[in-house]
Amino acid sequence: MSITMTEQMITDLVRTLGTIGTICFLAMPYFFNTPYFLPLAVAGNLLLLPQVYKAKQWNLVLLNIVGGGKYLYELINMYLF
């Protein structure tokens, strides 16, 4: 079965987003108690979501949605209230 150019582009995009999300997660501990921690946490969770969805790792999909939602909630509360 031959892979089309579109499928290859999607695969490359998902891999790139996953790599950037992993870098965000790796940087998070160094920015704890700074204004950069929550944006890195939200970005890491959201950018890893397509990769784990494509791999059909449903437990990690749920973990990223719940974790990203909580970090996003905290980020919104920090800037709006």
Side-chain angles (χ1 to χ4, degrees), residues 3-79:
I3 189 166
T4 65
M5 183 66 104
T6 304
E7 290 171 341
Q8 183 63 41
M9 289 173 59
I10 291 172
T11 300
D12 291 343
L13 177 64
V14 167
R15 184 176 296 137
T16 303
L17 291 176
T19 302
I20 295 170
T22 301
I23 291 169
C24 288
F25 273 140
L26 290 173
M28 273 175 37
Y30 299 104
F31 291 101
F32 194 70
N33 286 334
T34 68
Y36 304 112
F37 177 77
L38 287 174
L40 283 172
V42 171
N45 277 298
L46 293 180
L47 292 173
L48 279 174
L49 196 55
Q51 188 176 38
V52 294
Y53 181 80
K54 188 170 189 246
K56 296 180 181 170
Q57 296 174 333
W58 306 118
N59 58 335
L60 294 178
V61 170
L62 182 62
L63 182 66
N64 281 341
I65 290 171
V66 171
K70 175 61 176 166
Y71 285 133
L72 185 61
Y73 174 78
E74 293 297 325
L75 184 66
I76 290 170
N77 276 340
M78 187 170 76
Y79 286 111

